[in-house]
Amino acid sequence: MLKLTIKKVSQALQDEVFSATDLCRACLRRAKLIEPLNPFVTVTEAKALEQAKNADLRYKEGSSKSSLDGVTVAVKDNFCTAGVTTTCGSRMLQDYVPPYNATVVERLEEAGAVLVGKTNLDEFAMGSGTVDSVHGPTYNVWGFSLSHSQGCGVSRHRIAGGSSGGSAVAVATGACFAALGSDTGGSTRNPAAYCGVVGLKPTYGRVSRHGLIPLVNSMDVPGILARTVEDAAQVFNVISGHDPKDSTTVTDSFPPVMLGESVNLFGLTVGIPQEYHCPGLSPEVLQAWSDTADLLEEAGATVKQVSLPHTPLSIVCYSVLNQCEVASNMARYDGLQYGYRADSYASTEQLYADTRSQALGLVVRSRILTGNYFLLNRNYEKYFEQAMRVRRLISQDFMAVWEGQGGVDLLLTPTTLTTAPTVEQFTSLDNREQCATQDYCTQPTNMAGCPAVSIPVRLSQDRLPISLQLIAPNFCEQLMLSVAHWIQTAVDFPQLPLLSDNNSS
């Protein structure tokens, strides 16, 4: 039953082929099986079984809530969950239990979804590997043998990507049918690409950020990880929409995304940004990109080269804006209101310093210090204001593609430059260098607020997933997901690993 799509699971529950409780127990067994991969921070077994039991009662009464009723989901551990610890992968919040649900969690529960657990992430979502967590790293299921997990050394395991690596692994292994991630510079699409699942970053303002512990308020977007585009669309339909608790959500109403059996690509113009053909792009990813563009063209789409000239500046711009907003957001962790508190009372200043040095990792502390430097009066215009000007230019690049250059409907790009590196390869560079490399193709869309989706398209010679990204104009999720669904059907990505209870990948 874990191999089914959400649509088929919903139908099976309606037809009483199996119960929501059966499904929940199967996912909990899977979560136990994959413990060596470390995708979960907390497995909410009692809560999940109670929710599944309630779903079964609704199905018996003929009053199911939605297509997600009784379907298992997981939530990245930076979304607040009432009564369930929310740690952000940090010692600072290791015992924090929120009194409320994030809006997206609330909407999932209102739709009847069953929460099986909270998933691992880089500390405060600052990373692209899920290796910088107080709970330890999360490993990719691809290339990982559960029966020999102690034999080859952790440095040879593949990273899951980040910062939503736990969510990607939970979905890829069948421990849940969908999971929430967050996406500030690619943190949903990057792990989705490495783990061979679908990663959806909606338009900024289309999904509420209320209850998502902030990293960069102006770019953070709740993301969705699922095994199929159709599954991701169903979750998107449930969690999207205006939220009075988040003033950045748009008040416009949109029809739900509907994916038909076939898509007519005639008249569609797909752009290939020349700047995304960048140093470090592997030949296998380049070939997959070219072949998929050919598929679209053969099906009737017009494929043309376009230019987004300020793309090379995006990572530098992001580094400044990210660290400025981090410095502002992290000021709340002072040891006084909530979270970790150091045993220092000599002075308030000493309490602040000891609390933050003891409870925050090196990556987080370095971003705070750098951001505060950028925000000094003497540096503000030179760094922050200049970065904001560059951000506007990047956003205008996308507008020029959509409205000029022949009127492009979608962009097709790589998601990541390579397949998932080993932990040893990944940690040989520092966090900033890794993010600059890994987020090159994903980060610009966060600057412009555009929706994007990562789709697995083939396996490399090493049997690792290769994924591509579609980018659309703001609020055009319907078109983007329709074409993504067509691509996923056309390429027929191989069966994911660990979809039966054996002990190897």
Side-chain angles (χ1 to χ4, degrees):
M1 68 183 100
L2 300 185
K3 298 179 182 180
L4 300 175
T5 65
I6 289 177
K7 183 178 181 179
K8 290 181 178 178
V9 165
S10 180
Q11 189 59 54
L13 291 171
Q14 293 275 7
D15 297 340
E16 299 185 356
V17 175
F18 49 79
S19 69
T21 301
D22 293 336
L23 187 67
C24 180
R25 292 189 186 281
C27 289
L28 291 171
R29 287 195 299 271
R30 182 56 49 81
K32 181 71 175 176
L33 174 69
I34 62 171
E35 279 182 356
L37 299 172
N38 197 30
F40 286 100
V41 171
T42 304
V43 175
T44 52
E45 181 172 355
K47 180 182 180 74
L49 289 170
E50 181 182 359
Q51 290 176 329
K53 180 181 177 181
N54 291 335
D56 285 332
L57 289 174
R58 289 192 293 272
Y59 276 110
K60 285 183 179 179
E61 295 169 354
S63 57
S64 61
K65 291 184 172 183
S66 74
S67 62
L68 295 186
D69 205 351
V71 174
T72 54
V73 299
V75 173
K76 187 177 180 179
D77 204 32
N78 59 347
F79 287 92
C80 289
T81 42
V84 179
T85 306
T86 299
T87 72
C88 279
S90 177
R91 187 183 183 193
M92 180 63 78
L93 293 177
Q94 63 184 1
D95 298 317
Y96 174 58
V97 180
Y100 69 98
N101 280 325
T103 295
V104 287
V105 175
E106 185 177 274
R107 289 178 177 176
L108 285 173
E109 292 193 346
E110 287 175 351
V114 174
L115 177 65
V116 294
K118 303 293 292 295
T119 56
N120 202 12
L121 69 159
D122 291 292
E123 186 176 12
F124 282 100
M126 298 184 201
S128 55
T130 312
V131 297
D132 293 314
S133 169
V134 72
H135 308 290
T138 294
Y139 302 115
N140 201 326
V141 63
W142 293 88
F144 187 101
S145 173
L146 290 174
S147 59
H148 302 95
S149 59
Q150 305 303 318
C152 63
V154 296
S155 66
R156 294 178 62 84
H157 297 330
R158 302 280 172 172
I159 66 164
S163 60
S164 308
S167 291
V169 172
V171 170
T173 55
C176 57
F177 290 89
L180 294 182
S182 60
D183 197 308
T184 308
S187 284
T188 293
R189 291 160 287 159
N190 172 292
Y194 286 150
C195 293
V197 297
V198 172
L200 169 62
K201 172 212 167 299
T203 305
Y204 185 86
R206 191 84 190 261
V207 180
S208 173
R209 295 179 299 110
H210 173 69
L212 168 60
I213 294 174
L215 175 61
V216 180
N217 302 64
S218 67
M219 298 183 211
D220 293 343
V221 180
I224 300 164
L225 297 107
R227 290 200 290 273
T228 70
V229 175
E230 187 176 33
D231 286 355
Q234 290 193 64
V235 175
F236 174 71
N237 287 338
V238 167
I239 68 172
S240 61
H242 176 63
D243 178 15
K245 296 175 183 176
D246 178 4
S247 61
T248 64
T249 53
V250 295
T251 56
D252 306 55
S253 59
F254 297 91
V257 172
M258 303 295 292
L259 303 182
E261 294 300 320
S262 61
V263 177
N264 186 356
L265 300 184
F266 283 94
L268 184 76
T269 301
V270 178
I272 306 294
Q274 61 188 30
E275 291 80 9
Y276 284 58
H277 192 306
C278 57
L281 184 65
S282 79
E284 287 188 286
V285 173
L286 178 59
Q287 190 62 54
W289 188 15
S290 177
D291 291 347
T292 305
D294 290 344
L295 272 178
L296 291 168
E297 197 164 37
E298 290 166 5
T302 299
V303 177
K304 58 186 292 185
Q305 188 176 89
V306 297
S307 178
L308 298 167
H310 295 95
T311 296
L313 302 177
S314 183
I315 290 295
V316 178
C317 175
Y318 175 70
S319 295
V320 174
L321 296 178
N322 174 293
Q323 288 164 77
C324 288
E325 292 202 40
V326 164
S328 175
N329 278 323
M330 300 301 289
R332 71 192 69 189
Y333 303 111
D334 53 16
L336 293 176
Q337 300 174 78
Y338 53 85
Y340 179 86
R341 176 182 293 182
D343 295 326
S344 299
Y345 298 98
S347 68
T348 303
E349 289 77 12
Q350 189 65 44
L351 175 62
Y352 289 167
D354 288 353
T355 293
R356 291 155 79 84
S357 64
Q358 293 171 22
L360 297 175
L362 177 61
V363 171
V364 178
R365 296 200 308 272
S366 66
R367 293 199 190 190
I368 292 170
L369 290 170
T370 307
N372 281 321
Y373 175 78
F374 291 151
L375 291 171
L376 291 172
N377 283 338
R378 67 175 185 268
N379 295 330
Y380 188 84
E381 182 177 358
K382 179 180 178 182
Y383 291 103
F384 182 74
E385 289 190 1
Q386 185 67 10
M388 289 296 288
R389 293 187 185 101
V390 174
R391 180 178 182 176
R392 183 172 66 243
L393 293 174
I394 294 166
S395 181
Q396 288 173 349
D397 283 350
F398 282 98
M399 293 300 296
V401 166
W402 309 136
E403 297 176 0
Q405 299 191 38
V408 171
D409 298 301
L410 296 169
L411 297 174
L412 178 69
T413 78
T415 307
T416 56
L417 305 187
T418 66
T419 56
T422 65
V423 174
E424 184 176 35
Q425 291 168 335
F426 187 82
T427 55
S428 65
L429 299 175
D430 68 22
N431 178 277
R432 182 173 178 175
E433 288 179 283
Q434 284 294 1
C435 290
T437 302
Q438 306 299 331
D439 294 347
Y440 183 89
C441 295
T442 55
Q443 202 289 311
T445 60
N446 294 83
M447 291 283 189
C450 300
V453 61
S454 177
I455 322 132
V457 295
R458 67 172 55 165
L459 294 181
S460 69
Q461 290 183 345
D462 294 335
R463 305 291 296 171
L464 297 172
I466 294 174
S467 299
L468 297 178
Q469 175 180 231
L470 282 176
I471 304 170
N474 291 15
F475 308 111
C476 290
E477 279 85 355
Q478 172 66 58
L479 173 63
M480 180 182 75
L481 292 177
S482 295
V483 176
H485 178 59
W486 183 92
I487 291 174
Q488 189 171 48
T489 302
V491 299
D492 192 24
F493 184 74
Q495 179 72 20
L496 294 167
L498 276 180
L499 287 183
S500 60
D501 285 332
N502 53 49
N503 288 327
S504 70
S505 60

